[in-house]
Amino acid sequence: MPTQQTPPDRPSLWERLDRPAAAPRTTLTPQRIAAAAVAIADTEGLDAVTMRRLAALLEVAPMAAYRYVSGKDELIELMVDFVYGRLPLDAAPGGWRETMHSLAVHLRAMNLEHPWIVRAAAPSVLSPNQLAVPERAFAALADHGLDADTTMAVFRTVTGYVYGSVSTELAVENLRRANGWTDGEETRAALAPRMSYLMGTGRYPAYEQYLHRATRKDDPAWHFHTGLDCVLDGIAAHFAL
């Protein structure tokens, strides 16, 4: 999602928005449209975003947004670009590692703040602010002796870790919300009968030791940062960076 492709004879959303515009007839702008749509998605979910709902929130005619977007697919592209545009992409002090660490941390925060974006930010979106992320990473990795394909592999390794970690965090949060569990203690209590049976089989002694010894079960930020350090350490060691 989005699923529809721009017809080959139709300029993309970004090409159309880059064109010099005539004097605006209303105060409606792509930024206002995107901000309002993001607000709906953040509070009610992506499926709640419709052109009619958007028009009501903006207090404009139902067809007003069509001046900029052709429909919901392009509206979602606009939303994704708007959210990515708020990422701080200034060069981090230090080298490639500090830059990749900063990108990873900010991408995690963005995805947790806007959980719908995991579903919406398909590779086919190719928005300007999305592309600014690999642009920043590639620039940081330049001059380190990596060829183009390896540079992309490093970037995808880091971002793949981010999205995998975020997906797990969101899945746990969704499970709790669906069942009315407020925290880790309630979650573990609810799952205790199943876990007790599995541990009682004696098949998982290493995992049982984890259950008894772990002290950071409810600290996803610690798990994320620790795992991120492992990823970056591995990249540095493998390529002698």
Side-chain angles (χ1 to χ4, degrees), residues 175 179 181 183-201 204 207-208 211-212 217:
L175 176 67
N179 289 278
W181 304 330
D183 55 25
E185 287 296 334
E186 283 194 14
T187 303
R188 286 186 289 276
L191 297 176
R194 181 180 301 184
M195 185 64 76
S196 295
Y197 166 75
L198 291 171
M199 293 304 104
T201 66
Y204 314 101
Y207 195 85
E208 187 171 12
L211 291 176
H212 290 303
K217 295 174 184 175

Side-chain angles (χ1 to χ4, degrees), residues 150-163:
T150 304
T151 299
M152 176 60 85
V154 169
F155 173 72
R156 286 182 172 173
T157 297
V158 175
T159 55
Y161 169 74
V162 174
Y163 297 131

Side-chain angles (χ1 to χ4, degrees), residues 96 100 138 141 146 148-160 231-232 235 239 241:
W96 72 270
M100 298 302 288
F138 292 177
L141 290 164
L146 304 179
D149 294 314
T150 304
T151 299
M152 176 60 85
V154 169
F155 173 72
R156 286 182 172 173
T157 297
V158 175
T159 55
V231 171
L232 295 175
I235 291 170
F239 296 108
L241 297 180

Side-chain angles (χ1 to χ4, degrees), residues 120-172:
S124 60
V125 170
L126 291 177
S127 81
N129 286 321
Q130 267 188 301
L131 283 177
V133 176
E135 175 68 22
R136 182 72 195 90
F138 292 177
L141 290 164
D143 303 322
H144 285 282
L146 304 179
D147 62 35
D149 294 314
T150 304
T151 299
M152 176 60 85
V154 169
F155 173 72
R156 286 182 172 173
T157 297
V158 175
T159 55
Y161 169 74
V162 174
Y163 297 131
S165 178
V166 165
S167 294
T168 298
E169 286 189 60
L170 292 177
V172 171

Side-chain angles (χ1 to χ4, degrees), residues 6-7 14 48 58 63 74 94 97 135 140 153 160 167 169-170 205 216 237:
T6 302
W14 313 113
L58 291 169
M63 299 298 290
E74 285 194 347
R97 183 187 176 111
E135 175 68 22
S167 294
E169 286 189 60
L170 292 177
R216 294 184 179 271

Side-chain angles (χ1 to χ4, degrees), residues 3-51:
T3 57
Q4 298 177 0
Q5 300 296 319
T6 302
D9 58 342
R10 177 180 172 82
S12 73
L13 169 64
W14 313 113
E15 183 178 349
R16 300 198 313 272
L17 293 181
D18 273 346
R19 292 174 177 172
R25 291 170 290 181
T26 70
T27 59
L28 195 62
T29 65
Q31 291 71 31
R32 280 194 66 209
I33 293 170
V38 166
I40 296 171
D42 285 349
T43 56
E44 303 175 43
L46 191 61
D47 291 336
V49 179
T50 66
M51 301 300 280

